[in-house]
């Protein structure tokens, strides 16, 4: 269903707002609530690098690294959202922090932002990643550890990443254990190699998926095929999205397409496509920029900011949780806006 172009101002100039505050207050908490913030961390301050010992690891390395920031509005007694942001191949967690800006109070005043570091600067899902490295185990243990140390809302845990980091996000979305604890997934310029696109077993449906890609990407081509470094074959992005709409039970013929930015000649430079799945609007969403390369979209390189869009998307999704209220059990449902 075609829609009229909308103003890009809503996407490019999104002021610092509380995107999670409209969720109901009846939530469970984790063991980290009421614990003091580690002395290395200042709310709203710079990130700090930590190491985590993998207690269930059966192969080296036993220690993994990550950096973390606590938002300026972090009270130790109120469960906060958690965002995991994964770097691309050959990059670092600190570079990913600078790129994604989930630690920037302009975009995020509520969520704890964590930037894991991949071994040899890569993640599961890349052809060069050693099969002996269990990145999924690392992330699951890291989430459990963080819940024991910080006041985290277990219904509001999210994952995003760029390129190989986006491919890692896709791996987590298909993993039954990871998809049971992560509420929504947002890969950016994702590298989805065919050798790693086996059976997908998410723990629930529908799984909220938000994907960004550029038509001028010469590293991970929108049309798929051999990647820009000749290291492997990637899935065409339309096929990857089609797979998720099928797994999520979306209406295949009811995609909603909106022209976000239109140039002077009337061509659609940025299109947003959404699919309604299982009675939920826009569970699978896709932003396509015809002229964008292998980038994290910003107002400078794409005409809109992916971080703003991701924060809004995460703010609309959460893990269903049964809670006690007035002696009755009911499902926490998020208010529609």
């Amino acid at each position: 269903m075609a829609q009229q172009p909308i103003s890009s101002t809503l996407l490019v100039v999104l002021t610092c707002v509380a995107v999670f505050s409209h969720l109901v207050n009846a939530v469970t908490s984790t063991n980290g609530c009421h614990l003091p913030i580690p002395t290395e961390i200042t709310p709203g301050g710079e990130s700090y690098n930590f190491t985590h010992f993998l207690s269930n690891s059966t192969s080296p390395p036993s220690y993994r690294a990550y950096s973390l920031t606590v938002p300026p509005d972090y009270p130790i007694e109120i469960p906060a959202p958690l965002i995991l942001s994964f770097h691309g191949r050959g990059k670092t967690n600190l570079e990913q922090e600078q790129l994604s800006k989930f630690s920037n109070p302009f975009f995020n005043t509520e969520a704890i932002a964590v930037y894991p570091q991949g071994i040899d600067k890569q993640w599961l899902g890349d052809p060069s990643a050693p099969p002996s490295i269990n990145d999924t185990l690392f992330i699951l243990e890291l989430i459990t550890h963080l819940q024991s140390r910080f006041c985290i809302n277990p219904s509001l845990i999210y994952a995003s990443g760029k390129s190989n980091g986006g491919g890692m996000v896709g791996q987590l979305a298909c993993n039954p254990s990871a998809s049971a604890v992560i509420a929504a997934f947002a890969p950016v310029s994702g590298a989805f190699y065919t050798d790693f696109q086996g059976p997908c077993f998410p723990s629930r449906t529908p799984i909220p998926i938000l994907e960004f890609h550029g038509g001028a990407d010469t590293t991970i081509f929108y049309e798929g095929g051999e990647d820009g470094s000749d290291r492997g074959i990637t899935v065409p992005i339309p096929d990857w999205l089609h797979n998720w709409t099928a797994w999520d039970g979306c209406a295949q013929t009811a995609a909603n397409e909106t022209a976000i930015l239109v140039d002077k000649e009337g061509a659609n430079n940025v299109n947003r496509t959404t699919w309604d799945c299982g009675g939920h609007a826009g569970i699978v969403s896709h932003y396509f920029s015809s002229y964008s390369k292998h980038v994290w979209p910003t107002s400078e390189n794409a005409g809109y900011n992916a971080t703003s869009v991701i924060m809004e998307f995460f703010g609309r999704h959460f893990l269903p949780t049964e809670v006690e209220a007035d002696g009755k059990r009911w499902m926490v449902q998020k208010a529609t806006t």
Side-chain angles (χ1 to χ4, degrees), residues 34-57:
H34 300 283
L35 292 179
I37 299 174
T39 57
E40 302 92 342
I41 294 293
T42 300
E46 295 183 356
S47 62
Y48 188 84
N49 279 312
F50 294 90
T51 56
H52 174 68
F53 175 73
L54 292 175
S55 59
N56 293 320
S57 177

Side-chain angles (χ1 to χ4, degrees), residues 132-161:
S132 60
I133 303 298
N134 193 331
D135 285 324
T136 301
L137 172 65
F138 165 45
I139 297 308
L140 291 173
E141 284 204 12
L142 179 59
I143 290 173
T144 300
H145 169 72
L146 294 172
Q147 289 176 325
S148 72
R149 193 62 190 85
F150 295 89
C151 192
I152 293 172
N153 187 329
S155 296
L156 306 179
I157 299 176
Y158 307 96
S160 182

Side-chain angles (χ1 to χ4, degrees), residues 12 26 33 40 53 61 89-91 102 116 121 157 160 172 206 223 226 230 232 237 239 252-253 279 291 324-325:
V12 177
C33 292
E40 302 92 342
F53 175 73
R89 182 177 182 271
K91 303 297 183 179
F102 288 122
K121 299 182 179 180
I157 299 176
S160 182
L172 294 173
E223 299 82 8
E226 192 75 36
D230 295 327
I237 298 303
D239 292 354
Q252 296 292 320
T253 59
Y291 58 82
E324 294 285 351

Side-chain angles (χ1 to χ4, degrees), residues 16-268:
C16 177
V17 295
V19 297
F20 301 99
S21 59
H22 64 288
L23 297 175
V24 294
N25 292 325
V27 296
T28 57
S29 61
T30 57
N31 294 333
C33 292
H34 300 283
L35 292 179
I37 299 174
T39 57
E40 302 92 342
I41 294 293
T42 300
E46 295 183 356
S47 62
Y48 188 84
N49 279 312
F50 294 90
T51 56
H52 174 68
F53 175 73
L54 292 175
S55 59
N56 293 320
S57 177
T58 58
S59 62
S62 298
Y63 289 90
R64 298 293 298 267
Y66 66 97
S67 58
L68 178 145
T69 59
V70 169
D73 298 340
Y74 172 75
I76 62 174
E77 72 281 358
I78 299 178
L82 172 67
I83 298 175
L84 300 162
S85 184
F86 296 87
H87 62 79
R89 182 177 182 271
K91 303 297 183 179
T92 67
N93 55 345
L94 297 181
E95 289 175 300
Q96 179 63 17
E97 178 184 358
Q98 296 171 358
L99 181 70
S100 63
K101 294 180 169 51
F102 288 122
S103 299
N104 189 331
F106 180 82
F107 299 103
N108 170 31
T109 61
E110 300 174 85
I112 295 171
V114 176
Y115 306 91
Q117 178 63 50
I119 299 297
D120 295 331
K121 299 182 179 180
Q122 58 191 356
W123 294 105
L124 171 70
D126 185 89
S128 301
S132 60
I133 303 298
N134 193 331
D135 285 324
T136 301
L137 172 65
F138 165 45
I139 297 308
L140 291 173
E141 284 204 12
L142 179 59
I143 290 173
T144 300
H145 169 72
L146 294 172
Q147 289 176 325
S148 72
R149 193 62 190 85
F150 295 89
C151 192
I152 293 172
N153 187 329
S155 296
L156 306 179
I157 299 176
Y158 307 96
S160 182
K162 179 179 181 283
S163 194
N164 174 217
M168 177 64 186
V169 170
Q171 295 291 316
L172 294 173
C174 276
N175 182 277
S177 297
S179 60
V181 297
I182 300 175
F185 304 83
V188 178
S189 299
F192 310 113
Y193 287 92
T194 56
D195 288 346
F196 296 89
Q197 302 302 307
C200 185
F201 299 106
S203 64
R204 69 190 197 280
T205 56
I207 295 287
I209 296 287
L210 169 64
E211 201 276 341
F212 301 81
H213 224 93
D217 191 332
T218 57
T219 301
I220 303 297
F221 294 94
Y222 187 79
E223 299 82 8
E226 192 75 36
D227 70 4
S229 59
D230 295 327
R231 294 183 311 107
I233 297 174
T234 61
V235 179
I237 298 303
D239 292 354
W240 189 85
L241 291 165
H242 176 81
N243 289 340
W244 269 109
T245 60
W247 294 328
D248 273 347
C250 305
Q252 296 292 320
T253 59
N256 302 297
E257 184 170 328
T258 303
I260 302 298
L261 295 176
V262 179
D263 64 18
K264 295 179 180 179
E265 287 72 35
N268 295 342

